[in-house]
């Protein structure tokens, strides 16, 4: 399943290329503004500090919820432990899809960590 809209990704790439061309003085400011207005993107990408903070908060939320579920259900056997990991992978994937579709996160820390957590839990 595609998480990100292809038109939003295309607009994002066009904006990045236009920004690089403007900084290299290949296009003027008027053309740059027209490109940004014609290729608007809804994707949210914060700066690096916010990305790290959101990823750490996601780590804490997933870790604590996994520990809480592990304590609620007896995970002494290996089968229960495996089922807990599969359940957590499903929950992380579901949260990833919801955050990307509803909040338009793109490399925001949350989506990167939830993708990693889904792979780790599987």
């Amino acid at each position: 399943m595609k998480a990100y809209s292809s038109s939003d990704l295309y607009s994002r790439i066009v904006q990045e290329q236009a920004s690089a061309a403007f900084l290299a003085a290949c296009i003027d400011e008027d053309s740059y503004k027209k490109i940004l207005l014609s290729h608007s993107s809804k994707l949210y990408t914060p700066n690096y500090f916010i990305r790290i903070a959101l990823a750490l908060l996601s780590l804490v939320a997933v870790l604590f919820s996994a520990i809480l579920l592990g304590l609620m259900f007896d995970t002494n056997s290996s089968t229960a432990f495996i089922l807990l990991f599969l359940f957590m992978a499903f929950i992380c994937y579901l949260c990833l899809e919801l955050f990307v579709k509803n909040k338009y996160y793109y490399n925001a820390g949350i989506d990167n960590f939830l993708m990693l957590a889904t792979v780790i839990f599987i």
Side-chain angles (χ1 to χ4, degrees):
M1 179 178 219
K2 286 185 356 182
Y4 303 106
S5 169
S6 59
S7 62
D8 280 336
L9 289 175
Y10 176 75
S11 296
R12 180 85 175 189
I13 291 171
V14 169
Q15 286 178 352
E16 289 174 359
Q17 290 177 347
S19 177
F22 177 69
L23 291 175
C26 295
I27 59 174
D28 60 346
E29 185 177 354
D30 188 41
S31 299
Y32 177 63
K33 287 182 180 179
K34 285 180 183 177
I35 291 171
L36 291 182
L37 287 175
S38 65
H39 293 284
S40 63
S41 177
K42 298 181 285 188
L43 299 175
Y44 171 69
T45 305
N47 64 18
Y48 290 108
F49 296 113
I50 302 297
R51 286 184 199 180
I52 293 169
L54 289 174
L56 289 175
L57 286 173
S58 300
L59 170 72
V60 168
V62 169
L63 185 65
F64 285 171
S65 62
I67 289 172
L68 182 64
L69 285 174
L71 290 174
M72 285 174 49
F73 304 109
D74 189 23
T75 57
N76 290 336
S77 67
S78 62
T79 306
F81 195 69
I82 291 171
L83 288 176
L84 175 68
F85 266 46
L86 288 176
F87 180 71
M88 287 304 297
F90 175 73
I91 294 296
C92 286
Y93 181 75
L94 182 69
C95 289
L96 172 66
E97 287 289 330
L98 289 175
F99 279 133
V100 168
K101 292 293 181 189
N102 294 338
K103 302 290 185 179
Y104 301 106
Y105 285 150
Y106 178 72
N107 286 337
I110 294 175
D111 56 340
N112 297 338
F113 175 75
L114 287 176
M115 190 180 322
L116 179 67
T118 303
V119 172
I120 288 173
F121 282 131
I122 289 178

